[in-house]
Amino acid sequence: MTLSPRRIGLAAALVAVVLALPAIASPREDALTDRMVEMQLATLPIGVIMQDIARQDAGWPAADRDDISAKQLACLRREISPDGQRVLVRPKIAAYVAADPARAEVDVALLETGAGKLFGDLVLAGAAAETSGGTTDPADVMMAAGPTVQANFLKFFESEEHQAARDAFGIGGLTAGANGEDFGAKLALELMRHGFDTCGVSIDPR
């Protein structure tokens, strides 16, 4: 059968439309992304810390802002929380999973042994020391985790094979010599900016 120029043009147009469609993740990749997102939140509980602050201050993070409505404030408090953190981190993690599901499975399985939670416990202990004068010794947190979790923790956060996963989590540049407080402040600011942008509020007072 001879294709007419019109049919050839239509076929080409349909191919272009298909190529322009976003890739659709498989159910397996969706489930793996869900697991990895939850591990990111367990590892870096920035939203949890901010949610705790919000519970103690009904006006936070805009108590002194008369240009922010009650609706905008409610939006901010929702987005600067674990739910907002999930929205913020998911695209990058989903892209990582889609690029190499097998590699991502190895990463998340290692974190799920307790390695991710251990890092999160250290973050929470540091936050408690800053906000409420907590005195938990990081060494005590490490010891309580046990040797297997400690080994998996060190493997994930120091091994080159997990560098891409650390990048996807937003902690690729965190090294043993890095200032943990500065790094935590950077991650908190990213979540704050996400909240203000999502809620259509300027982060700087007018």
Side-chain angles (χ1 to χ4, degrees):
M1 180 180 70
T2 303
L3 290 176
S4 68
R6 179 175 176 275
R7 286 181 174 174
I8 293 173
L10 179 59
L14 289 172
V15 169
V17 169
V18 170
L19 292 176
L21 291 174
I24 299 175
S26 69
R28 174 175 175 262
E29 287 180 7
D30 277 339
L32 185 53
T33 298
D34 288 343
R35 289 167 59 200
M36 203 159 191
V37 167
E38 292 309 307
M39 279 296 96
Q40 201 274 355
L41 267 68
T43 302
L44 297 165
I46 306 300
V48 169
I49 294 168
M50 292 191 170
Q51 189 174 63
D52 287 344
I53 295 172
R55 284 173 178 159
Q56 298 170 37
D57 183 350
W60 189 87
D64 58 347
R65 297 278 299 272
D66 57 10
D67 61 317
I68 295 179
S69 69
K71 183 177 180 180
Q72 289 173 318
L73 178 59
C75 177
L76 281 172
R77 289 165 69 86
R78 181 180 66 250
E79 294 300 327
I80 305 172
S81 73
D83 286 344
Q85 186 175 346
R86 285 185 182 91
V87 173
L88 175 63
V89 305
R90 188 177 183 88
K92 192 171 185 179
I93 289 176
Y96 174 66
V97 170
D100 194 344
R103 176 70 259 168
E105 179 68 51
V106 172
D107 295 322
V108 76
L110 184 64
L111 288 167
E112 287 174 342
T113 64
K117 182 180 181 300
L118 175 54
F119 192 92
D121 287 345
L122 290 168
V123 171
L124 291 172
E130 285 292 314
T131 60
S132 59
T135 56
T136 302
D137 189 335
D140 292 338
V141 177
M142 290 288 288
M143 289 297 295
T148 300
V149 174
Q150 290 172 23
N152 290 340
F153 166 88
L154 292 173
K155 182 178 181 181
F156 183 82
F157 290 99
E158 294 184 352
S159 172
E160 182 64 29
E161 69 178 296
H162 298 290
Q163 179 64 50
R166 295 196 297 272
D167 291 341
F169 271 27
I171 54 173
L174 185 61
T175 63
N179 185 310
E181 290 182 14
D182 289 348
F183 209 88
K186 175 178 175 290
L187 294 173
L189 181 58
E190 287 178 2
L191 184 56
M192 289 285 283
R193 289 191 181 281
H194 159 77
F196 277 82
D197 289 346
T198 300
C199 299
V201 179
S202 171
I203 199 168
D204 298 314
R206 292 173 185 168

